[in-house]
Amino acid sequence: MDGDTSGVEGDNWNTDDELEIDNFSLSSNSSLTLPNGEALACSGEASSSAGSSNSKLIDHFIGMGFSEKMVAKAIQENGKENTDSILETLLTYSALESSPHGQQHIDSDHCSLECEGSFLDDFSDIDSFSDEEITNPVSDEEGKLSSLVKMGYTMDEASIAIERCGLDSSLVELTDFITAAQMAKVADVHFPLEDKPIPNHSFKKRKHFDYEMWKRKKQRGLEKRLLHDDDEEIIRLPNPMIGFGVPNDLCQTIHRTLPEAAIGPPFFYYENVALAPKGVWTTISRFLYDVEPEFVDSKYFCAAARKRGYVHNLPIEDRFPLVPLPPSTISEAFPLTKKWWPSWDPRTKLNCLQTCVGSAKLTERIRKAIEDYDGEPPQHVQKYVLDECRKWNLVWVGRNKVAPLEPDEVEKLLGFPTNHTRGGGISRTDRFKSLGNSFQVDTVAYHLSVLKAMFPNGINLLSLFSGIGGAEVALHRLGIPLKNVVSVEISEVNRNIVRSWWEQTNQRGNLIDLPDVQQLNGDRLEELMGSFGGFDLVVGGSPCNNLAGSNRLHRDGLEGKESSLFYDFFRILDLVKCIMNKTQ
DNA sequence: AGTAGTATGACGATCAAG
DNA sequence: CTTGATCGTCATACTACT
């Protein structure tokens, strides 16, 4: 999808229940932060974990060297009965925590235990709370966002609060807003309480706690470097990157057992770049019900590499590939290049298709560099040319002539129909951008193929961050009828592409497109699902802007401006799950 | 001259694999 | 250790129009 997701317009919120929050006074926090209010707000499980009956259990684990916050979260997740799984969770957390990127995500989870005590602490010094104390924010907004996340709120909640309250509002105002929103949500029967424990509002204490935590983690990180890191829970990429199997793979007898919480309905399928900063996939996996990601390189499906991670709860037996099988090498995909391909260019597969392509000037420079020599150019020229060709995915189109791929060639490689992104007022630049952000259809279709036997009459699909409709095209090419498709995509050109494809392929189903995942709330989902009886599949690849290696400027990880929309994928999936369970 | 859309090049770090 | 890959962003110059 496109990068700009910040266009939240207040007008569109009129139907949202959150709007009612405006009626709350932002400055008066007393009534909202009373322990009574918390007890009312928390689910049974969450509030009981804060009770005194657990103190022995907590002390037990604290005695083992785990932090109070961790123990509370682990108990909350596993229940107080199952001490074994609590211990296992704690061990996992402590491993995660020692990773440089993983540590901040522990903080981003909620914990109701910190509610204990000091409710009556005054907040008078809260405004002196300096963001820079903990993080090094680039802007005021990011600083506030980051602070809120560290205080235990979701990225989603934090950004909405800033949108609604304004950038110059204090942290107290922002946290009050979120609390009020959560209060309002509690009234909504469909709000998944167990996954959104109400954060406490003992600001002073939490601030202090977090700061101490941060110092401790920093310290531990230093210690860690001196020790072995063999117990790191960092997810490793498989080599070869074939996930749970690719077509023509001989050993396809892999079985897996999904965690209980991950089992559908609905089925879900999440995608993002495999080479994300350390700890990102651990966090993604943890949020998506602890499902182990499947890392696959699309070079096993087509002539271009595309290293991606997929988290899904689909069966992995009896998969089958799309037919016809796409060309597997560059020369098969583009036969005309064979004639001009020099023997000293060993490439048979293209690298990852990106959002930008090489310039005409660059190909000109390359031509001139080779032209000076009669036969084979010297080593250093070969090296230069090959480096540029690999970096920009250039192919040989004439004597001494290289060129970037054309948009229709990229469409072909990615498994889309030719001219899928063409016309309708879409520029060449935008085509490359949309295609570069898309799925490789054959790869995704292989994973989704198991649905065909299960849903002979078709499926209802929720497609988040749809882009140019990679999931829709994959399902269609598999011959799985699309009954109702709700497609959420911020970019208007992309929505037009999907709409136009939908009409051209004579779909019998119903396509509903929405612009913004952030505005898709429980009410709207319930309304949509009520009309056709729930979703069979939720698909989405959230923005990779802040995860991708090509991003020199803002590779900020999952908390980055765009990539944090992952949490909206989780939020919405969890809402769908909740509603589905309720109506069954 | 103003404007909107387009093309170009400068901008390294991170992480895995050999 | 070195090599290689990587769903990118930004300011600026350029182009094709009014």
Side-chain angles (χ1 to χ4, degrees), chain A residues 216-258:
Chain A
R216 221 180 306 154
K217 280 175 181 171
K218 198 175 171 187
Q219 181 61 36
R220 207 179 303 182
L222 289 172
E223 288 166 9
K224 194 78 189 177
R225 246 164 273 163
L226 303 173
L227 300 168
H228 312 285
D229 46 0
D230 45 9
D231 59 340
E232 293 272 335
E233 280 269 334
I234 292 298
I235 294 177
R236 292 223 166 261
L237 299 174
N239 186 19
M241 199 183 279
I242 55 172
F244 302 138
V246 293
N248 305 322
D249 182 32
L250 296 176
C251 42
Q252 276 197 46
T253 48
I254 302 175
H255 289 277
R256 68 162 177 175
T257 45
L258 287 167

Side-chain angles (χ1 to χ4, degrees), chain A residues 180-424:
Chain A
Q182 286 167 334
M183 291 296 197
K185 276 286 187 187
V186 168
D188 180 351
V189 287
H190 300 301
F191 192 66
L193 291 169
E194 59 273 39
D195 292 297
K196 303 254 179 178
I198 308 301
N200 80 85
H201 292 84
S202 176
F203 303 125
K204 193 174 178 181
K205 180 165 187 204
R206 186 193 284 262
K207 165 202 160 189
H208 192 63
F209 186 92
D210 275 350
Y211 184 55
E212 290 301 313
M213 191 73 160
W214 174 73
K215 280 198 297 193
R216 221 180 306 154
K217 280 175 181 171
K218 198 175 171 187
Q219 181 61 36
R220 207 179 303 182
L222 289 172
E223 288 166 9
K224 194 78 189 177
R225 246 164 273 163
L226 303 173
L227 300 168
H228 312 285
D229 46 0
D230 45 9
D231 59 340
E232 293 272 335
E233 280 269 334
I234 292 298
I235 294 177
R236 292 223 166 261
L237 299 174
N239 186 19
M241 199 183 279
I242 55 172
F244 302 138
V246 293
N248 305 322
D249 182 32
L250 296 176
C251 42
Q252 276 197 46
T253 48
I254 302 175
H255 289 277
R256 68 162 177 175
T257 45
L258 287 167
E260 187 71 27
I263 296 168
F267 287 113
F268 67 88
Y269 188 81
Y270 174 81
E271 178 259 12
N272 216 320
V273 291
L275 282 73
K278 271 184 179 168
V280 165
W281 277 105
T282 313
T283 306
I284 290 174
S285 169
R286 194 155 49 81
F287 270 83
L288 298 180
Y289 315 103
D290 290 317
V291 175
E292 183 194 343
E294 174 170 17
F295 293 102
V296 184
D297 190 335
S298 292
K299 74 179 182 183
Y300 299 105
F301 289 84
C302 68
R306 210 168 184 77
K307 296 173 184 65
R308 296 295 180 266
Y310 306 89
V311 178
H312 62 85
N313 61 351
L314 294 160
I316 58 174
E317 294 85 21
D318 302 318
R319 291 165 160 181
F320 60 90
L322 277 183
V323 284
L325 289 173
S328 64
T329 62
I330 302 173
S331 62
E332 283 173 40
F334 309 112
L336 294 178
T337 63
K338 215 185 308 185
K339 183 177 176 185
W340 309 109
W341 208 273
S343 59
W344 46 270
D345 183 347
R347 292 176 299 154
T348 58
K349 301 269 186 185
L350 292 161
N351 281 335
C352 185
L353 303 164
Q354 311 225 51
T355 54
C356 297
V357 292
S359 68
K361 295 278 169 89
L362 172 64
T363 65
E364 175 73 355
R365 285 196 295 273
I366 289 175
R367 187 177 63 82
K368 284 185 171 154
I370 312 172
E371 237 172 22
D372 299 339
Y373 306 96
D374 245 359
E376 208 167 276
Q379 284 289 325
H380 70 277
V381 176
Q382 286 185 21
K383 171 98 167 81
Y384 162 70
V385 174
L386 276 178
D387 282 350
E388 295 296 321
C389 284
R390 282 197 247 255
K391 190 194 298 179
W392 294 104
N393 262 331
L394 306 174
V395 294
W396 297 92
V397 295
R399 179 180 298 279
N400 300 332
K401 275 206 312 186
V402 290
L405 296 171
E406 289 296 310
D408 62 300
E409 295 173 325
V410 180
E411 285 167 349
K412 183 178 173 181
L413 284 167
L414 291 177
F416 289 94
T418 302
N419 293 334
H420 181 72
T421 59
R422 191 180 190 183

